[in-house]
Amino acid sequence: MSQEITVISDATVSLKPLIESAIRTELRMLELGLERTSQRLRSFEEQYGMASEEFERRFEAREITESLDFIEWAGEIKTYLLLQTQRQALQGARIN
């Protein structure tokens, strides 16, 4: 689904380069966030000897007792998915 956004400004400078730069900066921040989150997920996977996908399935099915680590692991999975979605949205952005 395509979305269009119109930006109107009284500024005398062109907003297009500013918006393009802001998008590139945000993409870099998202990439850094994804890398940090990936490292945290790998750390949990190594510590508990299971893939995040398996953990998520078992955690949601309540096959695993809640602990602070497991709640944090589940949060990191949600964060990773959110960052991926945001990155995909910005990667597809076009400034006309």
Side-chain angles (χ1 to χ4, degrees):
M1 174 171 76
S2 181
Q3 294 184 34
E4 185 172 321
I5 298 171
T6 303
V7 178
I8 300 171
S9 171
D10 293 332
T12 57
V13 296
S14 172
L15 289 181
K16 183 176 178 180
L18 295 172
I19 293 171
E20 288 171 337
S21 176
I23 289 172
R24 282 192 306 273
T25 299
E26 185 63 20
L27 277 168
R28 281 193 299 272
M29 296 303 292
L30 289 168
E31 291 295 337
L32 290 172
L34 282 164
E35 180 56 36
R36 186 203 70 76
T37 305
S38 290
Q39 290 171 353
R40 293 282 297 141
L41 292 174
R42 282 191 300 274
S43 175
F44 282 119
E45 290 172 346
E46 290 171 10
Q47 182 177 352
Y48 293 101
M50 81 176 92
S52 289
E53 295 80 11
E54 179 185 352
F55 161 76
E56 184 177 33
R57 181 190 59 74
R58 293 180 64 194
F59 187 73
E60 289 179 3
R62 300 187 189 272
E63 294 175 8
I64 298 175
T65 305
E66 277 190 15
S67 71
L68 187 56
D69 269 1
F70 291 161
I71 292 169
E72 188 176 341
W73 192 355
E76 290 291 342
I77 292 169
K78 288 182 183 0
T79 298
Y80 188 83
L81 295 174
L82 175 64
L83 292 172
Q84 277 187 318
T85 300
Q86 291 172 344
R87 180 182 63 182
Q88 288 170 350
L90 284 181
Q91 284 176 330
R94 293 184 317 273
I95 308 295
N96 295 325

